[in-house]
Amino acid sequence: MRLSGSITALATPFTATGEIDLDAWNRLLDGQLAAGTQGIVVAGSTGEAAALFDAEYDTLLRTAVERVAGRIPVLAGTGLSNTAKTIELTRRVAALGADAALVVTPPYVRPTQAGLLAHYRAIADDDALPVVLYNVPGRTGGDLLPETVAELVSHPRIVAIKEARSEPERMAALLELKGDGFAILSGDDPTACRAMFAGADGVISVASNVVPHAFRRLADLARAGQRDAALALDARLQTTYDFLGVEPNPIPVKALLARQGIGHGLRLPLLPLSAAHAGTAAAIAALVAELELECHESLVA
């Protein structure tokens, strides 16, 4: 399996009473497929995985696998703070039909690099699913260093890394490890275009929940080396990137999805977008609608 292009870390829509909204979930999935999204992540951090009960997690993943029907890869977030629990969850999502496990570095416990090496090898050795490494130090408190990744890339079941650090030096170090069996994916929307120019295979995006056509086009342009067109589109997306960072993810993206008729909020301790940002949300929603229409027409053409 080769992961590339525009991959969406899906938000999880809830009803007004706080239950999983399966109708909205199906509409979100259908919209991603129609826009040409090249992979999806179910129950990652954007999907509020920590707020989901096991039965809800399983329902979301099972529904996504059935809806996608093999057209694009379905990744499931399985990274937990304990290796044995991560292996157990990875086995569970494999049985539900996931194509790969997105495994974030263990949150909160802050293992050493040797601990991370042993953690990922144990998960990959279990052989339940292909493993995508995921490094996001701002959320987990730990940093998976390139030299540690270099020791993992030879494992046949470790197939990619999602790197959420934005520094060009970090991406450059990882790109030296890229190969036929190991893909490099940006996990940072504002610098994803730059990363793809440098040779990254694609992006696992939050923004593509609301601009899936635009992100597919951005990935196509950047990976094809069409710099002027890619930079122009990326510049138009900048205000959306900025808005998605005004409060912790996925608060802003779910505010935009709600304006598209998908979902009604979050689960505590996350609260809906602050009223102070409502005006900006309305402006960004209008921009997103315009951009999506233009990019849809470009992709069709």
Side-chain angles (χ1 to χ4, degrees), residues 31-254:
Q32 294 289 319
L33 290 168
T37 294
Q38 292 156 291
I40 57 170
V41 177
V42 176
S45 51
T46 302
E48 293 173 81
L52 299 174
F53 293 97
D54 288 352
E56 294 175 326
Y57 183 115
D58 292 359
T59 296
L60 287 170
L61 180 55
R62 186 184 300 109
T63 302
V65 169
E66 291 173 356
R67 201 81 174 185
V68 167
R71 285 173 283 181
I72 59 175
V74 177
L75 285 67
T78 66
L80 299 171
S81 297
N82 170 271
T83 304
K85 287 184 176 181
T86 300
I87 290 171
E88 180 181 69
L89 180 54
T90 302
R91 290 174 180 173
R92 195 171 100 217
V93 303
L96 291 166
D99 296 300
L102 180 66
V103 184
V104 73
T105 56
Y108 188 77
V109 293
R110 300 173 64 198
T112 63
Q113 294 301 302
L116 289 171
L117 191 62
H119 174 73
Y120 281 114
R121 281 178 172 161
I123 298 162
D125 285 347
D126 191 65
D127 203 28
L129 280 175
V131 172
V132 178
L133 312 174
Y134 178 16
N135 189 46
V136 56
R139 282 188 174 268
T140 64
D143 190 6
L144 181 63
L145 298 178
E147 49 265 39
T148 306
V149 178
E151 295 190 60
L152 293 169
V153 296
S154 62
H155 197 295
R157 296 296 271 175
I158 296 177
V159 298
I161 183 170
K162 175 187 177 183
E163 176 57 70
R165 291 195 61 157
S166 62
E167 300 90 342
E169 297 81 9
R170 173 57 62 92
M171 183 56 64
L174 290 173
L175 286 170
E176 293 182 4
L177 307 175
K178 178 180 170 180
D180 290 340
F182 189 74
I184 308 296
L185 302 167
S186 169
D188 181 62
D189 286 338
T191 60
C193 184
R194 183 185 71 200
M196 288 186 281
F197 283 154
D201 294 279
V203 56
I204 297 181
S205 170
V206 174
S208 58
N209 277 276
V210 293
V211 283
H213 288 96
F215 251 74
R216 171 60 193 266
R217 180 153 177 77
L218 181 68
D220 287 351
L221 291 170
R223 296 176 67 226
Q226 298 185 41
R227 294 186 65 89
D228 291 346
L231 288 171
L233 177 55
D234 195 47
R236 294 184 66 191
L237 285 161
Q238 187 60 54
T239 53
T240 303
Y241 302 149
D242 293 343
F243 174 73
L244 293 178
V246 296
E247 290 186 355
N249 181 50
I251 294 171
V253 75
K254 293 195 82 172

